[in-house]
């Protein structure tokens, strides 16, 4: 019998009793306590070192809990470990002071979960050893090194499994699970900050005949090609998920219904003009819907799905927008794609008048530029607005830096670096726009998304609590603010 045959025989028929295994893994001379307890908190198995550390004269730990054996302060530390395991941590540990044989020594207490085939927690393993024990024997040191390497590999495996668990295997797009996790976060953002949020459902027209005529391998190639096309055409804020079969979903943060309608139509046209493996041409039907405050995920999805049904019933190869149940549709909203009017909300205030005034001015600048686009302003008129808004961005960065430095914000230096990166981007953008290398849409996208949405409503919120704690009482607006130019009327 060779080695492989022996391993197979042991795996199939061999039995090592738990008591022997414990003695093998953790001999009494190792100084390492090892025990297993059930979810009721009572120990089922333990080696002699564990009994020495916890027993205090008790010969067996079986049936006893840590609350009965340990001081209350130590019990609280270990309870924190177990909470982390219940929340999904692969391991948890605490350093504790443990009285043993009349002396109090420092120990590392490691807890590991034992899960069943159904991935549910079944029991908890405790491993205890002194923080500064005598030098381990060479054999024990090799065992500990091997355990450390295994733990590192397990951590990497967990990261990889999380990525796989959120990704559709065929297309590489998000799967349902990851999409629904993101949907909950974005709906919470909508309800808290009134940021618009929309959804597209994309369904391939006549996909079943593709599989029937060309085989499933060709159908898979078409799905992969469509995924690549969509990912290359979507905006940086959008998220693509495969919902199932030939159906995809695009989640569109900071996007109202009019922008969603234009995005859907643009994607439909791009797909219609593209060429796909073997089959050549392909068309899709799209349903779009905006989420409203108070909506459930099911209600929002149902509106988009009903719009998709209308697109298919109407002849396919079209995009349909769900009716607006809150405000009447305005045809002017459909003139501009990728643009959304910014609306100031008191929740955006940090309490520092200078910083808040700068933030409000950036909102006004973005809406002024949008109004100029919608009203068909000349290139010279738009150029003046672009120059002015870039100057406002730079001035606001300078004012904000002074405020956070004066307030002693710990992250001020890192925030200044972010400002410098955005300032460099703003100046390059202005130069490229002036020379005709970039359009006004790029300028608006930079201001509305990079500066306002990502930076002001993202990075800036890190210092809001700090500034609010240092904010003086509000006074009447300063003369400089009263004398500032009035904003142009905002777009419908």
């Amino acid at each position: 019998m060779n080695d492989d045959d022996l391993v197979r025989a042991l795996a199939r028929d061999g039995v090592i009793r738990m008591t022997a295994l414990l003695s093998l893994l953790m001999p009494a001379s190792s100084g390492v306590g090892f025990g297993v307890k059930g979810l009721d908190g009572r120990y089922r198995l333990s080696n002699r070192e564990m009994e020495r550390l916890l027993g205090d004269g008790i010969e067996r730990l079986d049936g006893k809990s840590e609350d009965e054996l340990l001081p209350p302060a130590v019990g609280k530390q270990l309870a924190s470990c177990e909470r982390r395991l219940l929340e999904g941590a692969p391991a948890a540990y605490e350093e504790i002071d443990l009285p043993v044989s009349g002396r109090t020594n420092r120990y590392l207490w490691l807890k590991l979960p034992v899960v069943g085939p159904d991935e549910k927690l079944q029991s908890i393993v405790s491993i205890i050893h002194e923080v500064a024990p005598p030098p381990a024997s060479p054999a024990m040191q090799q065992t500990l090194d091997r355990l450390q390497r295994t733990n590192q590999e397990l951590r990497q495996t967990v990261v990889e499994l999380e990525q796989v668990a959120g990704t559709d295997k065929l297309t590489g797009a998000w799967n349902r699970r990851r999409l629904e996790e993101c949907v909950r976060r974005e709906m919470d953002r909508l309800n808290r900050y009134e940021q618009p949020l929309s959804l597209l459902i994309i369904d391939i027209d006549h996909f079943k005949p593709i599989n029937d005529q060309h085989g499933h391998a060709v159908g898979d190639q078409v799905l992969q090609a469509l995924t690549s096309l969509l990912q290359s055409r979507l905006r940086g804020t959008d998220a693509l998920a495969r919902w199932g079969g030939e159906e995809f979903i695009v989640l569109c943060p900071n996007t109202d219904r009019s922008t969603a309608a234009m995005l859907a139509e643009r994607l439909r046209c791009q797909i219609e003009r593209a060429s796909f493996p073997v089959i050549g041409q392909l068309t899709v039907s799209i349903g779009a819907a905006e989420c409203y405050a108070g909506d459930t995920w099911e209600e929002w999805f149902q509106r988009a799905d009903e719009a998709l049904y209308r697109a298919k019933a109407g002849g396919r190869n079209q995009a349909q927008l769900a009716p607006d149940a809150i405000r009447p549709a305005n045809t002017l909203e459909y003139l501009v794609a990728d643009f959304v009017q910014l609306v100031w909300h008191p929740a955006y205030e940090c309490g520092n008048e200078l910083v808040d005034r700068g933030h409000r001015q950036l909102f006004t600048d973005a809406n002024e530029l949008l109004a100029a686009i919608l009203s068909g302003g000349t290139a010279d008129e738009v150029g003046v607005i672009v120059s002015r808004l870039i100057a406002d961005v730079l001035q606001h960065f300078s004012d904000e830096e002074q405020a956070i430095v004066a307030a002693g914000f710990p992250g001020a230096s890192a925030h200044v670096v972010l400002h410098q990166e955005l300032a460099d981007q703003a100046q390059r953008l202005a130069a490229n726009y002036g020379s005709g290398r970039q359009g006004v849409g790029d300028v608006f996208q930079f201001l509305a998304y990079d500066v306002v949405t990502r930076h002001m409503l993202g990075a800036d919120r890190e210092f809001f609590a700090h500034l609010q704690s240092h904010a003086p009482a509000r006074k009447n607006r300063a003369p400089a603010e009263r004398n500032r130019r009035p904003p142009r009327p905002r777009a419908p």
Side-chain angles (χ1 to χ4, degrees):
M1 177 181 291
N2 59 33
D3 290 345
D4 288 343
D5 294 335
L6 178 60
V7 169
R8 292 192 186 96
L10 285 173
R12 184 180 63 251
D13 305 319
V15 174
I16 301 177
R17 295 193 177 276
M18 181 58 74
T19 52
L21 185 61
L22 286 174
S23 300
L24 176 66
L25 288 175
M26 296 294 174
S29 61
S30 69
V32 177
F34 180 93
V36 180
K37 67 177 188 175
L39 297 184
D40 61 355
R42 299 187 179 280
Y43 277 91
R44 299 290 185 264
L45 299 166
S46 58
N47 70 348
R48 291 181 182 177
E49 184 65 13
M50 175 69 88
E51 293 170 355
R52 185 184 75 82
L53 292 173
L54 302 188
D56 194 20
I58 299 174
E59 292 185 0
R60 304 284 293 178
L61 297 184
D62 294 3
K64 295 185 172 54
S65 68
E66 290 163 4
D67 291 338
E68 299 173 54
L69 303 169
L70 299 170
V74 175
K76 288 183 179 179
Q77 285 181 275
L78 299 180
S80 173
C81 275
E82 294 189 3
R83 280 195 299 272
R84 295 200 292 275
L85 295 183
L86 291 171
E87 291 168 358
Y93 67 91
E94 290 281 349
E95 287 192 9
I96 63 169
D97 293 321
L98 189 64
V100 179
S101 302
R103 295 176 49 197
T104 298
N105 296 329
R106 192 76 170 169
Y107 290 88
L108 181 69
W109 193 310
L110 173 67
K111 287 182 177 282
L112 302 171
V114 177
V115 298
D118 58 357
E119 298 299 323
K120 291 183 179 179
L121 185 66
Q122 291 188 341
S123 55
I124 295 174
V125 171
S126 289
I127 300 176
I128 314 173
H129 69 86
E130 196 171 354
V131 170
S137 66
M140 179 55 65
Q141 187 60 51
Q142 290 177 5
T143 300
L144 293 175
D145 290 344
R146 188 163 57 250
L147 286 172
Q148 184 176 17
R149 289 194 301 271
T150 301
N151 184 55
Q152 291 173 345
E153 292 170 0
L154 285 173
R155 287 177 180 273
Q156 180 61 34
T157 300
V158 168
V159 171
E160 293 172 357
L161 287 175
E162 280 295 319
Q163 179 65 28
V164 170
T167 304
D168 176 60
K169 185 176 181 181
L170 175 65
T171 63
W174 288 3
N175 61 15
R176 282 196 182 198
R177 172 194 167 192
R178 189 169 179 184
L179 173 72
E180 291 181 342
E181 289 174 354
C182 186
V183 162
R184 304 297 180 187
R185 292 194 299 269
E186 292 298 336
M187 291 181 72
D188 181 62
R189 194 193 309 274
L190 162 68
N191 290 319
R192 291 174 62 191
Y193 303 118
E194 298 183 3
Q195 290 294 304
L197 178 63
S198 293
L199 175 78
L200 310 181
I201 304 180
I202 302 174
D203 190 270
I204 300 175
D205 295 329
H206 305 296
F207 186 71
K208 186 176 183 300
I210 294 175
N211 281 331
D212 292 344
Q213 296 174 20
H214 303 283
H216 288 279
V218 171
D220 289 348
Q221 292 177 27
V222 170
L223 292 171
Q224 291 167 340
L226 178 61
T227 300
S228 297
L229 187 152
L230 290 171
Q231 289 174 332
S232 67
R233 299 297 193 275
L234 293 174
R235 303 164 301 176
T237 53
D238 300 327
L240 175 68
R242 185 182 178 197
W243 190 246
E246 66 272 24
E247 203 166 60
F248 293 82
I249 285 183
V250 181
L251 184 65
C252 308
N254 303 306
T255 304
D256 64 7
R257 65 191 303 273
S258 60
T259 304
M262 294 301 297
L263 177 61
E265 178 60 20
R266 188 175 64 188
L267 290 174
R268 186 200 64 78
C269 292
Q270 290 169 338
I271 293 168
E272 185 181 28
R273 293 194 296 264
S275 179
F276 291 84
V278 181
I279 66 169
Q281 301 305 116
L282 180 74
T283 64
V284 297
S285 300
I286 306 177
E290 182 176 358
C291 184
Y292 299 121
D295 272 351
T296 65
W297 162 234
E298 292 75 18
E299 292 168 343
W300 178 28
F301 181 89
Q302 180 66 24
R303 289 203 309 277
D305 197 45
E306 289 170 354
L308 174 63
Y309 176 81
R310 289 197 306 274
K312 287 193 165 291
R316 295 182 171 83
N317 191 24
Q318 59 182 269
Q320 287 284 338
L321 181 64
D324 189 343
I326 295 183
R327 57 186 182 273
N330 186 331
T331 55
L332 289 178
E333 289 182 341
Y334 292 86
L335 294 177
V336 181
D338 297 329
F339 296 165
V340 58
Q341 185 178 10
L342 302 178
V343 180
W344 180 261
H345 191 279
Y348 303 155
E349 294 182 355
C350 69
N352 181 285
E353 188 171 355
L354 182 64
V355 173
D356 288 339
R357 185 166 66 241
H359 285 168
R360 287 192 296 270
Q361 186 59 47
L362 294 182
F363 271 60
T364 299
D365 287 340
N367 290 326
E368 186 177 5
L369 179 59
L370 178 57
I373 297 169
L374 288 172
S375 63
T378 66
D380 289 341
E381 291 172 341
V382 173
V384 170
I385 297 173
V386 169
S387 298
R388 198 163 55 211
L389 72 86
I390 296 297
D392 283 345
V393 168
L394 299 180
Q395 181 62 51
H396 168 64
F397 285 171
S398 176
D399 293 343
E400 189 177 272
E401 289 166 10
Q402 293 179 28
I404 63 178
V405 170
F409 173 57
S413 298
H415 205 80
V416 169
V417 173
L418 293 178
H419 281 178
Q420 187 58 55
E421 292 173 353
L422 287 172
D424 292 343
Q425 185 179 350
Q427 290 168 334
R428 285 195 304 271
L429 192 60
N432 290 339
Y433 175 75
S435 63
R437 292 196 297 272
Q438 286 188 281
V440 69
D442 296 320
V443 179
F444 184 87
Q445 188 74 1
F446 167 76
L447 183 63
Y449 176 63
D450 293 284
V451 175
V452 173
T453 302
R454 287 187 58 191
H455 186 75
M456 196 196 91
L457 301 182
D460 279 5
R461 300 195 73 83
E462 295 178 4
F463 63 69
F464 273 24
H466 198 84
L467 286 189
Q468 286 165 358
S469 65
H470 292 76
R474 288 269 185 172
K475 298 180 180 179
N476 293 332
R477 289 186 305 163
E481 183 181 4
R482 292 198 299 269
N483 295 333
R484 249 188 130 133
R485 68 186 186 279
R488 290 179 52 177
R490 294 190 301 180

